[in-house]
Amino acid sequence: MARSRRPLIAGNWKMNGLTADALALAGAVAEGVKQAGWTDRELLVCPPSTLVMAIAKAVKGSGLLVGGQNCHAAASGAHTGDIAAEMLRDAGASHVIVGHSERRTDCGETDAVVRAKAEAAWRAGLLPVVCIGESLAEREAGRTLSVLETQLKGSIPAGSTASRLVVAYEPVWAIGTGKTPTTAEVAAAHAHIRRVLGGLIADANAVRLLYGGSVKGGNAAELLAAGDVDGALVGGASLKADEFLAIAKAA
Ligand code: 13P
């Protein structure tokens, strides 16, 4: 892993967390970050939007970063139930996940929608974590690399640079299933993503590429050591402080 790419270990809490438990979880992760005193890696938690402000306040000064899980492309307006990137920023977020496969599936988000959300993140001063990944059917059809290429080209805005973009590769079939690709498959996907990025942006070599999908304390070291992997986007295992910190230690 190139030194210039500081690993990012991000927790996507998804639709989990009520105030008391969420504050306890964030507090325990923040305490772990503080004790470890890491300067060579970053840790991020992305709670549900109802908790972003309380958690950002609670972990302030610990070094733990806080992000949103989604944002609308517009800054404000008649979009009932949605949340603007500016609102996340106002609540204390520094990052936002866009284009997670659950939103692509549940909410019909297309590459163009995801790209608009990434642009909205920039407008608000947030760093977007753009997610891409193939389905099981696409993998079995041998289409993984072409699917990743299409999603990547459609989802990242013009003007992307390494300091304005994080890409997360999350094979849909590996999310929440306990199944993971082999390290060779992860390395092949990440190498392809970086090659495609190379045709789109000048400093592609410095863009952080996260792997996501059934990352746990027990498999993190192996997955994070795969070529071109610069961190992890963690779902289920990010809901336990010790497990999430174990993944961060493995980075
Ligand atoms: P799991 O770690 O639960 O498989 O979820 C991965 C994910 O979707 C993170 O965004």
Side-chain angles (χ1 to χ4, degrees), residues 19-166:
T19 310
D21 286 349
L23 283 172
L25 170 58
V29 173
E31 189 54 36
V33 169
K34 221 156 71 179
Q35 277 180 14
W38 285 310
T39 54
D40 59 349
R41 68 202 75 187
E42 292 180 330
L43 273 74
L44 166 71
V45 290
C46 299
S49 51
T50 51
L51 292 165
V52 168
M53 183 178 277
I55 288 178
K57 274 189 188 153
V59 307
K60 202 170 176 181
S62 68
L64 177 61
L65 302 164
V66 180
Q69 299 176 8
N70 169 54
C71 65
H72 195 278
S76 64
H79 302 289
T80 303
D82 255 308
I83 185 158
E86 282 78 359
M87 294 168 177
L88 291 169
R89 173 77 185 198
D90 184 52
S94 53
H95 294 60
V96 62
I97 299 167
V98 293
H100 191 281
S101 70
E102 285 150 18
R103 292 202 58 88
R104 289 177 184 262
T105 303
D106 292 359
C107 310
E109 290 186 5
T110 61
D111 291 337
V113 167
V114 174
R115 185 175 60 227
K117 289 178 180 217
E119 285 168 348
W122 290 352
R123 187 189 59 224
L126 299 178
L127 182 57
V129 178
V130 177
C131 302
I132 56 174
E134 83 286 1
S135 68
L136 185 59
E138 288 163 341
R139 174 161 286 268
E140 286 175 343
R143 295 182 49 223
T144 298
L145 299 185
S146 67
V147 166
L148 295 179
E149 183 161 347
T150 302
Q151 287 185 1
L152 189 64
K153 286 179 173 168
S155 303
I156 68 164
S160 289
T161 64
S163 61
R164 302 177 84 193
L165 177 73
V166 175

Side-chain angles (χ1 to χ4, degrees), residues 10-14 97 100-102 131 168 170-171 174-179 211-216 232-238:
N12 173 9
W13 292 6
K14 307 192 179 182
I97 299 167
H100 191 281
S101 70
E102 285 150 18
C131 302
E170 297 205 307
I175 295 175
T177 58
K179 292 182 193 149
Y211 167 77
S214 296
V215 179
K216 304 179 187 64
L233 182 54
V234 185
S238 72

